[in-house]
Amino acid sequence: MDTEEFPLPRSHRANERLHALIPGGAHTYAKGDDQYPENLAPVISHGRGAHVWDVDDNRYIEYGSGLRSVSLGHAHPRVIEAVRRELDRGSNFVRPSIVELAAAERFLATVPTAEMVKFAKNGSDVTTAAVRLARAVTGRPRVAICADQPFFSVDDWFIGTTPMSAGIPAATTELTVAFPYGDLAATEELLTRYEGEVACLILEPAGHTEPPPGYLFGLRELADRHGCVLIFDEMITGLRWSEAGAQGLYGVVPDLSTFGKALGNGFAVSALAGRRELMERGGLRHFGDRVFLLSTTHGAETHSLAAAMAVQTTYVEEGITARLHAIGERLATGVREAAAAMGVGDHIVVRGRASNLVFATLDESLRPSQQYRTLFLRRLLAGGVLAPSFVVSSALSDADIDRTVDVVSHACAVYRKALDSGDPTPWLAGRPVKPVFRRRV
């Protein structure tokens, strides 16, 4: 398939209809067609394993599936079988289902650093619940977020800190403060400056680089000393770092943690987990003020919880985390070698843990470039690779990786030509892709 020769007319028409009916043309900004080269934003028909097909009948090797949520591959047989078993039994009742008990037991066996868990449908709900709980148990108003990480919630306490802050009162945003990742001294200075005001520290425990030695343990000590709640956002690290998340890998136990994405392999399920002393404040067996922790009509749909149980069982029994790392290492090595061979090894940079790879596209001066990202994405799509990132799924085969590296090699050759010319514009065929968080359209 070559999208330079075979445009996407059905996808283009579908995108126009999507924009006419849905603000932004998608239900997640990161899936918007502004994230893809002009006229090359495929609309997906279906997927299986590591491949997806668009409405124009083109097949792609897919990376970053479902924004990192589909780590076992699309329509994974074990997950689908578990979901189907529940569909004929009803999905939502006026009282808790026995499936909720089984799902909680399975989750807490997989993440033994937590003592209680409550399920929901998306990551924002559980991170906001964690923040609310931290404020309730400490009686403090401020939330300290990691400044170097891109996303925590769609809710006001976080979105108010981004360029897309329209509609959010300044008084709300002023209660959110930020600390730099990896810098314990700066974090302690923040906690001292707002002594007795910070309810929690919330961060992804790891990202594109490994935590500095002693950093997470240092954060744990700072939180304890200053009386605030330590929250790990494990939306990405959960399962991909280890079955028990980053806390299971690094051995640092947060007070609260949030999981989602890979937990359901595409089915909508997220989790807030943590210490019993804190979590029970959202329950019925304590003597303090009640906390409206999480109460969602669809939070415990049986088929989604069945999916989560199947995912966790598959990870543990089949060693999925190790497989993701092995596939990612093979891909990263291939891409780096292809880029170096074409003389763009300093310009196309693969970063991150092997199970969670991203890439940077740098210009002639080695600065991040949306224009060069557009060029690179365009050539990947032309070769049948849909890759807003290089985040792998366990469904990828050796042949898929080999094909991807071959396509990357051809893309790097074009990249080199653009660098030599000093202007990538002729290779863009339209406007460049845009960052998600921007003030204006």
Side-chain angles (χ1 to χ4, degrees):
M1 181 193 71
D2 191 328
T3 50
E4 298 291 350
E5 297 179 12
F6 301 101
L8 306 176
R10 293 176 184 167
S11 289
H12 180 71
R13 290 194 297 270
N15 274 316
E16 289 301 309
R17 290 166 60 199
L18 284 164
H19 278 281
L21 301 174
I22 301 166
H27 285 87
T28 310
Y29 284 112
K31 296 183 182 182
D33 57 12
D34 60 343
Q35 303 301 294
Y36 292 85
E38 193 166 1
N39 297 320
L40 282 182
V43 174
I44 304 303
S45 165
H46 62 285
R48 184 161 298 277
H51 299 121
V52 295
W53 287 257
D54 66 24
V55 295
D56 293 282
D57 297 324
N58 298 304
R59 185 178 78 163
Y60 305 86
I61 303 168
E62 187 196 39
Y63 293 89
S65 316
L67 304 181
R68 297 179 171 87
S69 68
V70 182
S71 61
L72 299 177
H74 298 291
H76 187 274
R78 196 166 184 172
V79 177
I80 296 300
E81 180 185 358
V83 168
R84 283 184 177 141
R85 279 200 303 267
E86 294 304 325
L87 289 178
D88 288 335
R89 295 163 53 84
S91 62
N92 211 334
F93 313 104
V94 75
R95 280 283 293 151
S97 162
I98 194 66
V99 175
E100 296 175 47
L101 174 59
E105 290 174 338
R106 172 73 268 183
F107 181 91
L108 294 171
T110 306
V111 186
T113 40
E115 295 174 320
M116 297 187 83
V117 63
K118 195 159 190 179
F119 296 108
K121 303 307 282 184
N122 64 70
S124 293
D125 282 353
V126 290
T127 54
T128 292
V131 166
R132 184 184 305 119
L133 184 57
R135 282 171 160 163
V137 298
T138 62
R140 299 174 178 182
R142 296 189 186 274
V143 177
I145 65 172
C146 182
D148 303 308
Q149 294 169 345
F151 188 79
F152 291 104
S153 173
V154 301
D155 295 304
D156 289 2
W157 63 270
F158 172 71
I159 291 297
T161 68
T162 75
M164 294 177 72
S165 59
I168 300 172
T172 298
T173 304
E174 288 166 1
L175 293 176
T176 301
V177 295
F179 60 93
Y181 187 82
D183 191 335
L184 290 173
T187 305
E188 182 160 28
E189 190 279 327
L190 179 79
L191 292 172
T192 301
R193 188 191 329 155
Y194 297 107
E195 189 66 50
E197 297 182 38
V198 176
C200 61
L201 301 171
I202 181 169
L203 75 157
E204 296 178 49
H208 300 324
T209 59
E210 286 292 290
Y215 173 63
L216 296 178
F217 287 98
L219 275 184
R220 175 71 276 173
E221 191 275 331
L222 278 178
D224 290 340
R225 181 147 47 90
H226 288 269
C228 54
V229 175
L230 181 61
I231 304 170
F232 281 177
D233 178 339
E234 298 247 32
M235 290 296 150
I236 293 173
T237 54
L239 296 174
R240 285 188 179 272
W241 262 241
S242 80
E243 290 87 356
Q247 58 195 280
L249 179 65
Y250 301 121
V252 177
V253 181
D255 298 302
L256 300 171
S257 56
T258 58
F259 289 74
K261 290 194 182 291
L263 184 59
N265 201 55
F267 286 91
V269 60
S270 61
L272 168 64
R275 292 197 291 121
R276 181 178 303 278
E277 177 188 353
L278 275 65
M279 294 287 289
E280 192 61 85
R281 289 289 295 272
L284 299 175
R285 298 185 176 183
H286 68 95
F287 299 102
D289 291 342
R290 296 190 70 194
V291 178
F292 196 92
L293 185 58
L294 278 167
S295 183
T296 56
T297 299
H298 302 290
E301 285 178 324
T302 57
H303 59 273
S304 290
L305 295 183
M309 287 188 283
V311 167
Q312 291 167 95
T313 300
T314 301
Y315 262 79
V316 172
E317 292 184 357
E318 299 184 15
I320 296 297
T321 302
R323 174 163 170 74
L324 292 174
H325 282 87
I327 293 171
E329 290 286 3
R330 193 168 189 271
L331 175 64
T333 297
V335 170
R336 288 169 180 146
E337 289 177 351
M342 293 297 170
V344 295
D346 292 332
H347 301 271
I348 295 176
V349 182
V350 180
R351 296 172 174 161
R353 194 171 184 84
S355 60
N356 188 56
L357 296 170
V358 297
F359 57 83
T361 50
L362 310 181
D363 65 12
E364 299 86 353
S365 301
L366 300 182
R367 296 172 301 196
S369 168
Q370 293 296 103
Q371 287 188 307
Y372 278 100
R373 179 174 173 83
T374 307
L375 179 156
F376 191 57
L377 289 174
R378 189 172 189 87
R379 298 314 308 176
L380 293 183
L381 286 163
V385 175
L386 181 59
S389 68
F390 282 143
V391 177
V392 299
S393 76
S394 65
L396 288 158
S397 67
D398 287 349
D400 291 328
I401 301 299
D402 291 344
R403 172 61 183 164
T404 301
V405 171
D406 184 59
V407 171
V408 166
S409 182
H410 285 86
C412 289
V414 177
Y415 205 113
R416 183 69 258 171
K417 290 179 183 178
L419 288 170
D420 291 340
S421 74
D423 180 14
T425 305
W427 287 273
L428 303 189
R431 52 106 183 107
V433 299
K434 300 177 181 181
V436 167
F437 287 116
R438 58 187 193 276
R439 190 166 296 276
R440 299 284 183 175
V441 173

